[in-house]
């Protein structure tokens, strides 16, 4: 069985969010269990493409709204990713130093068309085309409806929704950009008066998955306007929990850490990494360290962070460290918090992220929306206790200590609820023996891709 994943992001080539982590790991684990799996993505102008060598495997042109665009299919040489990587180079639109922009309708439509045009020339076609989010959501429609791609229409397509809040909407004025199709089928593209690539993919894909079972159910109630569509298509929908790459996220081998450790050396290992963090950010190592890693946006509950942090610091003897960026107003308010027991790194640093997972005592995830969440799984792998709002994948992966579990859960987002959870965590931390036992216990929880990769393979097999 041959699987091709088509995505706008893939770690370590280009990463904006969790989509990249999934697309960079799932194909690798599928190959390990004997399923040939590769990835096709745009060719961006970034550090990875500049520092690696690619070979040209195909060259042609597409027509986009009357304009001829040259494209080249490039394959990564000396591949150490665990899967074959192909990139579509369209210099006028895709070869940029950014992933997303205001021109994304044209950029990602041309990318998808180039992928399918290349497929038309292949003798060995994929058995399944697996598309990810709205950036590749028009592929199921074009395969099934565009006259150009009629010979591909029997290839099953699978859509994975990583975040339904973003749907790729564009005006009907641009519908002429899509390769010609039977105009009586325009309803497959339309949702609420706009062309909606994510809605089109939900309608046209053979199977639809989300990145956790709970998120699939939540989308039927809150999917930024797609609730009724997902409910209507529920028979072909399935939630499959994401995994994490245990080779990248492994405290025993993690080169970023101040000190590597395993379960048996958890106490000394975490202490060494906490010591590094506290020295770097002028925090007190004796106090429990709460951390946040992620985007400073409303979905993550970040608009409440300034009030949460100030209240929690006033009411508890703790330290807080933040790594992230996003909303400028939130960043400015965080900068005004006194630095005595608080510090922030505005931006992103991969090494620092790894050391925080290893050295923090708690990871905060008061998300309003969390389709799956990977941070809580990384935290568990490093023996760090997640504090989460019990939604989406957080609900599927974290059990509260009061229910014979290992994390801290709250229900709903407010300054009061999150600070109460922090107070509960502080009390838990004060029981040194139980806290240390729990930290070792959570390191043994398996959230690797092994199980999830097999679930996807089982889904693929059901389509053949």
């Amino acid at each position: 069985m041959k699987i091709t994943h088509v995505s706008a992001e893939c770690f370590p080539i280009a990463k904006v969010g969790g989509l990249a982590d999934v697309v960079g790991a799932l194909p690798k684990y599928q190959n390990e269990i004997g399923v040939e799996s590769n990835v096709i993505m745009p060719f961006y102008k970034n550090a990875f493409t500049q520092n690696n060598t690619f070979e040209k495997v195909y060259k042609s042109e597409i027509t986009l709204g009357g304009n001829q665009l040259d494209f080249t299919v490039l394959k990564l040489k000396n591949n150490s990713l665990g899967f074959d990587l192909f990139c579509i180079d369209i210099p006028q639109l895709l070869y940029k130093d950014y992933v997303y922009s205001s021109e994304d309708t044209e950029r990602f439509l041309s990318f998808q068309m180039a992928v399918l045009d290349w497929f038309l020339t292949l003798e060995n076609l994929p058995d399944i085309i697996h598309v990810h989010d709205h950036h590749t959501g028009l592929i199921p429609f074009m395969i099934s409806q565009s006259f150009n791609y009629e010979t591909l229409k029997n290839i099953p397509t699978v859509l994975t929704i990583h975040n339904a809040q973003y749907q790729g909407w564009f005006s009907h004025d641009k519908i002429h950009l899509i390769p010609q199709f039977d105009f009586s089928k325009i309803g497959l593209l339309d949702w609420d008066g706009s062309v909606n690539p994510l809605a089109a993919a939900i309608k046209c894909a053979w199977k639809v998955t989300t990145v956790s079972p709970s998120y699939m159910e939540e989308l039927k109630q809150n999917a930024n306007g797609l609730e009724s569509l997902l409910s209507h298509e529920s028979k072909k929908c399935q939630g499959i929990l994401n995994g994490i790459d245990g080779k990248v996220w492994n405290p025993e081998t993690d080169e970023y850490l101040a000190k590597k450790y395993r379960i048996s050396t958890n106490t000394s290992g975490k202490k060494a990494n906490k010591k590094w963090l506290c020295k770097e950010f002028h925090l007190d190592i004796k106090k429990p360290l709460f951390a946040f890693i992620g985007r400073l946006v409303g979905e993550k509950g970040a608009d409440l962070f300034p009030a949460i942090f100030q209240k929690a610091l006033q009411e508890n003897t703790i330290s807080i460290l933040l790594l992230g960026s996003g909303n400028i107003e939130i960043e400015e308010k965080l900068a005004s918090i006194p630095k005595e027991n608080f510090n922030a790194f505005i931006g992103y640093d991969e090494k620092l992220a790894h050391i925080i997972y290893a050295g923090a005592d708690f990871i905060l995830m008061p998300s309003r929306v969390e389709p799956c969440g990977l941070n809580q799984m990384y935290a568990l792998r490093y023996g760090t206790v997640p504090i989460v709002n019990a939604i989406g994948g957080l609900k599927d992966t974290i059990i509260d200590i009061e229910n014979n579990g290992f994390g801290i859960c709250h229900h709903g987002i407010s300054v009061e609820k999150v600070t109460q959870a922090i107070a509960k965590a502080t009390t838990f931390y004060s029981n040194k023996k139980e806290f240390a036992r729990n930290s070792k216990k959570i390191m043994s929880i398996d959230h690797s891709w092994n199980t999830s990769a097999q679930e996807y393979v089982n889904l693929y097999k059901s389509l053949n």
Side-chain angles (χ1 to χ4, degrees):
M1 181 182 292
K2 181 179 180 181
I3 312 301
T4 291
H5 295 267
V6 191
S7 174
E9 299 179 38
C10 178
F11 180 82
I13 302 92
K15 175 179 175 178
V16 176
L19 167 62
D21 291 317
V22 174
V23 178
L26 176 56
K28 174 165 55 177
Y29 282 82
Q30 289 177 335
N31 278 307
E32 288 184 0
I33 58 176
V35 174
E36 183 183 351
S37 187
N38 59 39
V39 172
I40 305 176
M41 66 179 297
F43 189 72
Y44 302 112
K45 184 180 182 180
N46 61 20
F48 187 94
T49 59
Q50 300 301 290
N51 295 327
N52 286 274
T53 304
F54 292 79
E55 61 179 321
K56 191 180 298 182
V57 298
Y58 182 71
K59 184 175 178 62
S60 187
E61 61 182 25
I62 57 170
T63 301
L64 186 72
N67 296 317
Q68 297 297 118
L69 298 173
D70 294 328
F71 77 90
T72 306
V73 182
L74 303 170
K75 182 180 181 182
L76 180 65
K77 282 186 173 181
N78 304 320
N79 195 353
S80 60
L81 299 176
F83 53 85
D84 285 335
L85 174 71
F86 298 91
C87 292
I88 304 295
D89 181 20
I90 304 177
Q92 300 97 312
L93 291 176
L94 295 178
Y95 191 60
K96 310 293 183 182
D97 58 2
Y98 47 80
V99 175
Y100 302 122
S101 74
S102 60
E103 302 172 343
D104 284 351
T105 296
E106 290 81 5
R107 294 175 70 228
F108 291 119
L109 178 54
S110 66
F111 164 63
Q112 294 170 87
M113 290 166 59
V115 169
L116 296 182
D117 278 17
W118 177 43
F119 282 173
L120 291 174
T121 71
L122 298 178
E123 290 185 14
N124 185 18
L125 287 165
D127 296 302
I128 304 285
I129 300 173
H130 190 153
V131 302
H132 296 265
D133 273 351
H134 72 83
H135 325 100
T136 54
L138 290 175
I139 285 178
F141 172 82
M142 290 192 291
I143 283 180
S144 62
Q145 304 301 326
S146 290
F147 303 136
N148 290 3
Y149 308 120
E150 191 170 353
T151 58
L152 304 175
K153 68 181 181 182
N154 291 324
I155 301 177
T157 52
V158 174
L159 163 72
T160 293
I161 302 172
H162 298 260
N163 191 333
Q165 298 302 304
Y166 306 101
Q167 299 171 14
W169 314 267
F170 60 90
S171 166
H172 278 267
D173 294 344
K174 294 185 176 182
I175 207 156
H176 67 283
L177 300 177
I178 298 172
Q180 191 174 5
F181 60 93
D182 179 353
F183 211 70
S184 69
K185 302 296 179 64
I186 194 171
L188 293 171
L189 291 170
D190 181 85
W191 192 258
D192 198 25
S194 295
V195 177
N196 186 317
L198 187 63
I202 293 168
K203 295 173 188 177
C204 297
W206 294 31
K207 287 285 186 180
V208 176
T209 73
T210 58
V211 291
S212 71
S214 288
Y215 186 56
M216 177 61 81
E217 293 308 308
E218 289 172 6
L219 286 180
K220 296 172 186 176
Q221 308 299 321
N222 180 16
N224 201 6
L226 298 181
E227 300 83 2
S228 61
L229 176 60
L230 284 159
S231 295
H232 181 264
E233 299 285 1
S234 61
K235 288 184 179 179
K236 67 177 181 183
C237 295
Q238 180 179 346
I240 299 177
L241 189 68
N242 281 343
I244 62 172
D245 190 335
K247 297 178 178 64
V248 174
W249 299 96
N250 183 353
E252 287 190 48
T253 59
D254 194 334
E255 296 294 337
Y256 287 127
L257 301 189
K259 181 179 180 179
K260 301 171 192 174
Y261 58 96
R262 55 175 62 92
I263 293 176
S264 61
T265 58
N266 160 288
T267 301
S268 62
K270 287 191 66 64
K271 184 176 180 180
N273 286 283
K274 184 176 181 180
K275 183 178 180 180
W276 186 96
L277 289 171
C278 290
K279 181 179 179 181
E280 188 77 10
F281 293 96
H282 311 291
L283 301 171
D284 187 347
I285 194 171
K286 295 178 182 178
K287 297 176 181 178
L289 177 58
F290 294 75
F292 170 83
I293 300 174
R295 292 176 294 125
L296 300 179
V297 294
E299 285 183 11
K300 303 296 182 183
D303 53 304
L304 300 180
F305 282 0
I308 289 170
F309 293 168
Q310 291 184 77
K311 182 175 173 61
L313 289 166
Q314 289 171 0
E315 297 178 352
N316 304 278
T317 306
I318 64 173
S319 298
I320 299 175
L321 176 61
L322 178 144
L323 168 61
S325 63
N327 183 286
I328 300 298
E329 185 178 344
I330 297 172
E331 292 179 8
E332 291 175 349
K333 288 181 179 178
L334 290 171
S336 69
I337 299 176
K339 293 296 188 289
E340 184 179 354
N341 296 303
F342 170 79
N343 214 330
F345 183 103
I346 301 300
Y348 185 74
D349 183 280
E350 191 72 22
K351 175 180 178 178
L352 179 56
H354 282 244
I355 298 178
I356 290 175
Y357 286 119
D361 299 300
F362 300 94
I363 289 289
L364 293 163
M365 296 186 71
S367 304
R368 291 188 175 93
V369 178
E370 199 64 71
C372 174
L374 296 174
N375 289 14
Q376 80 278 17
M377 300 186 201
Y378 299 150
L380 294 172
R381 188 84 167 94
Y382 287 72
T384 298
V385 179
I387 302 175
V388 307
N389 183 25
I391 57 162
L394 302 177
K395 180 180 179 182
D396 291 334
T397 53
I398 305 302
I399 303 171
D400 193 88
I401 54 173
E402 292 182 354
N403 296 321
N404 297 316
F406 45 82
I408 308 290
C409 299
H410 54 91
H411 299 271
I413 302 299
S414 69
V415 173
E416 192 65 30
K417 287 182 178 180
V418 179
T419 52
Q420 285 175 356
I422 291 173
K424 179 178 172 179
T426 304
T427 300
F428 182 39
Y429 179 84
S430 67
N431 186 339
K432 299 293 187 183
K433 186 175 180 180
E434 179 59 23
F435 184 79
R437 185 199 66 79
N438 187 71
S439 182
K440 292 179 183 291
K441 171 186 172 182
I442 60 180
M443 286 183 67
S444 66
I445 298 174
D446 183 11
H447 281 301
S448 71
W449 269 107
N450 296 322
T451 299
S452 301
Q454 186 59 56
E455 284 193 59
Y456 275 108
V457 172
N458 294 342
L459 181 144
Y460 300 150
K461 288 180 178 178
S462 73
L463 300 177
N464 286 323

